[in-house]
Amino acid sequence: QVHLVESGGGSVQPGGSLRLSCTSPTVSLHDYCVGWFRQAPGKEREGIVLISGIDDIPVYDGSIDDSMKGRFTISRDHAKNTVNLQLNNLKPEDTAVYYCVADPAPNLDCGRLEVRGQGTLVTVSS
């Protein structure tokens, strides 16, 4: 069974950077589709980006504008069994709980992002 654990959140000033990590203590994420979404207080969940377990190609959510695409980058570290989300040039509106999600089994190509971690809080303020 897939369990996900996020880390790397914290408080930063506008313009700062954070690197979020998602790992699994139960499975190798090598062939799993893993994605990130966020939820700000009082707002709906917002998908950000995912990375396929089949070809490791990142796919941004259709609602993400080019500005965010240029600031948020997903990557996979096979050696550390993590999927990372690099957040650059953070803005106050990026304040949210960031969650990673994954398919419940490998090689499903992002068809069932049903597993979710507990989230990590990112706070951007001066």
Side-chain angles (χ1 to χ4, degrees), residues 64-84:
I64 300 303
D65 61 26
D66 289 343
S67 170
M68 186 180 290
K69 291 179 184 178
R71 298 188 297 118
F72 293 1
T73 304
I74 194 170
S75 63
R76 193 188 292 273
D77 187 329
H78 292 287
K80 296 182 179 179
N81 196 34
T82 60
V83 173
N84 305 310

Side-chain angles (χ1 to χ4, degrees), residues 34-77:
V34 179
W36 288 91
F37 74 92
R38 68 184 184 182
Q39 189 159 21
K43 294 188 177 181
E44 296 205 353
R45 166 178 158 165
E46 179 181 28
I48 303 173
V49 64
L50 53 82
I51 187 165
S52 169
I54 295 177
D55 54 21
D56 272 356
I57 293 178
V59 178
Y60 286 89
D61 191 278
S63 66
I64 300 303
D65 61 26
D66 289 343
S67 170
M68 186 180 290
K69 291 179 184 178
R71 298 188 297 118
F72 293 1
T73 304
I74 194 170
S75 63
R76 193 188 292 273
D77 187 329

